[in-house]
Amino acid sequence: MANIAYPVPKAPQRTEEVIKKSRFICDIRRVQNRDEAKEFIASIKKEFPDARHHCSAFIAGPSQTGDMGMSDDGEPQGTAGKPMLQVLQGSGIGDIAAVVTRYFGGILLGTGGLVRAYSGAVQQGLESLEVVMKVPMRVVTLEISYAQEGMLRRMLDDFSAKLEEQTFGTNITFTLIMPSDQVEKFAKTIIEETNGTAEVMIDENDIWI
């Protein structure tokens, strides 16, 4: 199955609400692996060391298939981490972690109340979260003549390609990174524009940036 683009958080997000005198602070951030998620959770615990709970959930990768984790952090089992993770999965957003910090206000919420509070805190955070698309990319190596350099540079924007490296010899060798779904069309175009003189090498493996 081909890798497909998916939305990820653009920037860290913090929202807050008070439910029956308990203060719930929801922090959402982009994480690309389990270690980044752990570091994020630890940083929130360090910022709010006097809070009673720091419940968390994360998905590193696409929303339905990424590496997932969750923690109730002392709340009754199943009342925090799991409902938080379910909200994240339902959002369709990947590479995402949420930490809900709770300052206990003296009034017990009950298991149902806790589920609603923690899932609601994440939902509130997601409502104002900005996202960007994470797109699978490919590396394309290209050898062309000096006379064709200007034409290639003009093509870069058309294919959302980034110039990573260039080497000057008898010809010019360019290393480009571009969205995977643009590669086939790019290769066809450059061969047509250079009358078949360009040498194009395509890395078959997607990379994620």
Side-chain angles (χ1 to χ4, degrees):
M1 182 179 174
N3 287 325
I4 58 173
Y6 59 92
V8 298
K10 182 179 180 181
Q13 175 78 27
R14 173 171 289 172
T15 51
E16 185 175 331
E17 63 180 330
V18 176
I19 301 172
K20 293 185 177 178
K21 298 186 178 180
S22 277
R23 181 182 173 203
F24 292 87
I25 305 164
C26 178
D27 282 279
I28 296 175
R29 187 174 299 179
R30 181 178 176 181
V31 297
Q32 299 188 78
N33 53 56
R34 187 172 286 264
D35 286 342
E36 285 185 11
K38 288 180 178 178
E39 288 172 11
F40 169 48
I41 295 163
S43 72
I44 297 299
K45 288 183 176 181
K46 187 176 180 181
E47 184 178 354
F48 300 107
D50 55 337
R52 181 170 289 195
H53 305 284
H54 300 91
C55 303
S56 59
F58 70 86
I59 306 171
S63 63
Q64 298 301 318
T65 58
D67 183 17
M68 303 179 192
M70 58 188 176
S71 170
D72 294 314
D73 195 40
E75 293 284 26
Q77 187 175 355
T79 61
K82 185 177 180 181
M84 288 171 63
L85 181 60
Q86 288 172 336
V87 172
L88 294 183
Q89 286 182 291
S91 73
I93 301 170
D95 288 1
I96 187 169
V99 179
V100 177
T101 300
R102 182 189 183 191
Y103 282 91
F104 183 57
I107 300 172
L108 295 174
L109 300 182
T111 55
L114 288 172
V115 169
R116 287 190 296 274
Y118 281 101
S119 61
V122 176
Q123 189 64 53
Q124 183 187 48
L126 291 174
E127 284 170 5
S128 51
L129 182 71
E130 285 190 71
V131 297
V132 293
M133 294 304 292
K134 184 174 182 178
V135 179
M137 309 287 276
R138 291 274 177 92
V139 176
V140 177
T141 306
L142 180 73
E143 186 178 326
I144 57 174
S145 70
Y146 282 85
Q148 295 160 343
E149 180 184 3
M151 181 246 340
L152 171 68
R153 289 184 182 277
R154 287 191 295 273
M155 286 175 59
L156 296 181
D157 283 348
D158 293 340
F159 294 92
S160 302
K162 294 179 182 176
L163 176 58
E164 290 291 299
E165 193 177 336
Q166 54 190 358
T167 307
F168 299 96
T170 307
N171 292 313
I172 311 177
T173 301
F174 290 96
T175 302
L176 309 174
I177 292 181
M178 69 182 66
S180 298
D181 61 4
Q182 296 286 331
V183 169
E184 189 176 332
K185 186 179 177 185
F186 171 81
K188 183 180 178 183
T189 303
I190 198 73
I191 288 168
E192 286 176 356
E193 292 290 330
T194 61
N195 296 316
T197 60
E199 287 190 28
V200 183
M201 290 158 284
I202 301 167
D203 190 322
E204 292 302 314
N205 297 311
D206 284 335
I207 57 173
W208 296 92
I209 298 176

